[in-house]
Amino acid sequence: MRMEHDLLGDKAIPDDVYYGVQTARALENFHISGVPISQYPDLIRALAMVKLAAARANYECKQFGEEILHGIEGACQEIIDGQLHEQFKVDLIQGGAGTSTNMAANEVIANRALEFMGFAKGQYEHCDPHNHINCSQSTNDAYPTALHIAIFLLNAKLSAQLCELVKAFRRKGDEFREVVKMGRTQLQDAVPMTLGQEFVAFGESLESEVFALDRVEAVLYEVNMGGTAIGTGLNAPAGYAERCVNHLAKVCGKPIRLAANLVEATQDTQPFVLFSSVLKSLAIKLSKICNDLRLLSSGPRAGLNEINLPAMQPGSSIMPGKINPVIPEVVNQVCFKVIANDLAVTLAAEAGQLQLNVMEPVIAYCILESQTMFMNAAETLRQHCVNGITANNDVCRRYVEHSIGVVTALNPLLGYGVATELAAEALKTGKGIVHLVREKKLLSEEQISSVLDPRLMTGTDGR
């Protein structure tokens, strides 16, 4: 054990750990979600990126010497590369506006930097968590900046998974381009389309959300580094903020920029609200697509049964032979959770008071969880569902042949009134629209072939 000291007194810390006294107290205080910050490696990498950029700016502002800089650089780079993440044990949801997370980073980096410098853990007179790692900073600028970075690091991975899902839907669209089926509005027969058009539309719908995620990411590039406690820059040397942000942009490879008003930026959580709202929009669209997949595959004898989802597992503990659409169902549930998380982000953002919003830890929890669940859901839906979907061509064709919806194509030739009468008679007698048109000699055979061909009604070549 080694003894460390803080405002509350002395505390024994296991000598083999890299965190220090403030982290140890947080581990005692916050048994909340059971989710440590180590569950989100990109947040830990982001914290190290912030500390690395701050150290380089502080060195240039002559806040400490080259030996300390090199120690901090070595420790930060190891963390960015994925080492020491198990040392970040603090619960993601915590009081203190993220202070425990910030101090965990400060302490782990300080103790590893000490080893790079040839000293033992806890010899903070040579490299101190507050005086050196947190130099010219506050939790109130370092923590939200790290969260901005973590979100856009995860966003790249999420976008990649969504793009693969979009491709999967488009491949199915091409595969089903010749399958003519009935379109439906308000769950009633509408007009013919192709199954290919339906699946391409699924892909297009999701692709627009990928574009939205990429666009909204830009709001995360503006940070308040250098604002310190409330945005006034107290304890930060002249030129530090600009230098820190420039270094951060290089470390992240993104166009990070300094907020125009650091007081405003320190209390503002709107970037999180905007990003979360796009995640909610994605949830709405993806859930609707999963609803459609479940409807289209319903049956197999007493439902639509236009498509077959891959059979993944037995569906009932009592009904033999039943197979459930478990993959769309689980993705639906992910979407519900993301929508709920967006509400939590909204409430947390509204709860900010005066110069700071102390609710940022729950914002972090919700957004990082939503991104991670979406990544997993997109991969699961693609691999275990979309890739294996097949079409029931005969079922689709039978619905078209028996549908009254094809009567819509007669409006330009016969008028809405006559078409309505035909629809009513077909519904009453069970006769097909084509049969009635022939019976009443309303159109020539040539006109029937050109107007009432279901494929021609789809308006495309099936794509």
Side-chain angles (χ1 to χ4, degrees), residues 52-63:
L52 177 59
R56 288 171 176 170
N58 278 313
Y59 171 74
E60 291 173 358
C61 292
K62 304 188 185 312
Q63 297 299 102

Side-chain angles (χ1 to χ4, degrees), residues 55-130:
R56 288 171 176 170
N58 278 313
Y59 171 74
E60 291 173 358
C61 292
K62 304 188 185 312
Q63 297 299 102
F64 47 69
E66 191 171 307
E67 183 183 15
I68 291 175
L69 171 65
H70 290 335
I72 296 174
E73 286 181 323
C76 288
Q77 193 58 56
E78 282 190 348
I79 294 170
I80 292 169
D81 292 340
Q83 300 180 51
L84 299 177
H85 286 205
E86 74 284 353
Q87 299 294 316
F88 291 79
K89 300 176 181 291
V90 179
D91 198 296
L92 199 58
I93 297 183
Q94 56 195 248
T99 296
S100 296
T101 295
N102 184 42
M103 283 308 303
N106 290 334
E107 290 172 346
V108 171
I109 292 169
N111 280 309
R112 183 61 182 128
L114 284 168
E115 292 181 335
F116 273 106
M117 296 164 64
F119 301 106
K121 301 184 194 74
Q123 291 186 290
Y124 295 139
E125 65 271 22
H126 302 289
C127 184
D128 184 81
H130 290 94

Side-chain angles (χ1 to χ4, degrees), residues 159-171:
S159 293
Q161 282 292 351
L162 289 172
C163 284
E164 290 302 311
L165 182 57
V166 169
K167 292 176 185 175
F169 276 118
R170 284 179 170 158
R171 284 193 297 269

Side-chain angles (χ1 to χ4, degrees), residues 176 293 296-297 300 305-311 385-386 388-393:
F176 300 150
L293 293 177
L296 293 172
S297 64
N305 194 32
E306 291 187 346
I307 62 173
N308 305 302
L309 305 185
C385 182
V386 177
I389 292 175
T390 58
N392 289 324
N393 295 22

Side-chain angles (χ1 to χ4, degrees), residues 131-192:
N131 297 333
H132 300 114
I133 313 303
N134 203 60
C135 183
S136 308
Q137 302 158 64
S138 162
T139 294
N140 303 344
D141 59 356
Y143 181 80
T145 297
L147 183 52
H148 281 216
I149 294 169
I151 291 172
F152 68 64
L153 289 177
L154 259 177
N155 192 45
K157 300 172 185 177
L158 172 57
S159 293
Q161 282 292 351
L162 289 172
C163 284
E164 290 302 311
L165 182 57
V166 169
K167 292 176 185 175
F169 276 118
R170 284 179 170 158
R171 284 193 297 269
K172 285 297 167 182
D174 189 61
E175 180 181 337
F176 300 150
R177 60 184 298 187
E178 301 298 330
V179 181
V180 179
K181 56 161 286 178
M182 285 304 298
R184 297 176 180 87
T185 57
Q186 292 145 296
L187 296 180
Q188 306 299 304
D189 295 356
V191 295

Side-chain angles (χ1 to χ4, degrees), residues 81-380:
D81 292 340
Q83 300 180 51
L84 299 177
H85 286 205
E86 74 284 353
Q87 299 294 316
F88 291 79
K89 300 176 181 291
V90 179
D91 198 296
L92 199 58
I93 297 183
Q94 56 195 248
T99 296
S100 296
T101 295
N102 184 42
M103 283 308 303
N106 290 334
E107 290 172 346
V108 171
I109 292 169
N111 280 309
R112 183 61 182 128
L114 284 168
E115 292 181 335
F116 273 106
M117 296 164 64
F119 301 106
K121 301 184 194 74
Q123 291 186 290
Y124 295 139
E125 65 271 22
H126 302 289
C127 184
D128 184 81
H130 290 94
N131 297 333
H132 300 114
I133 313 303
N134 203 60
C135 183
S136 308
Q137 302 158 64
S138 162
T139 294
N140 303 344
D141 59 356
Y143 181 80
T145 297
L147 183 52
H148 281 216
I149 294 169
I151 291 172
F152 68 64
L153 289 177
L154 259 177
N155 192 45
K157 300 172 185 177
L158 172 57
S159 293
Q161 282 292 351
L162 289 172
C163 284
E164 290 302 311
L165 182 57
V166 169
K167 292 176 185 175
F169 276 118
R170 284 179 170 158
R171 284 193 297 269
K172 285 297 167 182
D174 189 61
E175 180 181 337
F176 300 150
R177 60 184 298 187
E178 301 298 330
V179 181
V180 179
K181 56 161 286 178
M182 285 304 298
R184 297 176 180 87
T185 57
Q186 292 145 296
L187 296 180
Q188 306 299 304
D189 295 356
V191 295
M193 65 183 303
T194 69
L195 191 59
Q197 287 174 313
E198 196 161 28
F199 273 76
V200 168
F202 291 155
E204 293 291 330
S205 183
L206 290 178
E207 187 174 53
S208 69
E209 296 304 300
V210 177
F211 290 151
L213 282 171
D214 291 342
R215 287 194 299 269
V216 78
E217 182 181 294
V219 304
L220 301 170
Y221 298 157
E222 184 175 282
V223 299
N224 68 328
M225 284 301 291
T228 66
I230 63 170
T232 60
L234 181 66
N235 291 350
Y240 162 81
E242 293 78 11
R243 291 174 184 271
C244 183
V245 169
N246 288 337
H247 281 298
L248 196 54
K250 294 175 183 176
V251 170
C252 296
K254 296 284 188 178
I256 307 296
R257 62 185 181 277
L258 193 64
N261 186 315
L262 295 182
V263 173
E264 185 278 332
T266 301
Q267 61 191 266
D268 182 38
T269 54
Q270 196 67 9
F272 302 128
V273 174
L274 292 172
F275 192 87
S276 180
S277 69
V278 176
L279 292 177
K280 180 181 72 172
S281 177
L282 170 62
I284 292 167
K285 284 195 177 182
L286 187 57
S287 190
K288 187 269 182 188
I289 290 170
C290 288
N291 291 342
D292 287 352
L293 293 177
R294 290 161 56 205
L295 275 172
L296 293 172
S297 64
S298 60
R301 299 289 177 85
L304 294 183
N305 194 32
E306 291 187 346
I307 62 173
N308 305 302
L309 305 185
M312 301 309 300
Q313 61 190 60
S316 175
S317 61
I318 188 173
M319 292 173 279
K322 191 169 186 285
I323 302 293
N324 293 331
V326 293
I327 302 303
E329 287 174 353
V330 76
V331 176
N332 278 129
Q333 292 172 72
V334 167
C335 294
F336 304 156
K337 185 63 167 67
V338 171
I339 292 169
N341 281 349
D342 177 70
L343 176 58
V345 170
T346 301
L347 295 172
E350 185 274 337
Q353 297 168 318
L354 303 178
Q355 279 67 60
L356 182 66
N357 189 313
V358 303
M359 307 300 177
E360 286 179 348
V362 75
I363 291 176
Y365 180 95
C366 289
I367 294 179
L368 296 175
E369 181 186 56
S370 292
Q371 290 178 289
T372 302
M373 291 180 73
F374 263 152
M375 286 166 50
N376 296 335
E379 183 177 20
T380 298

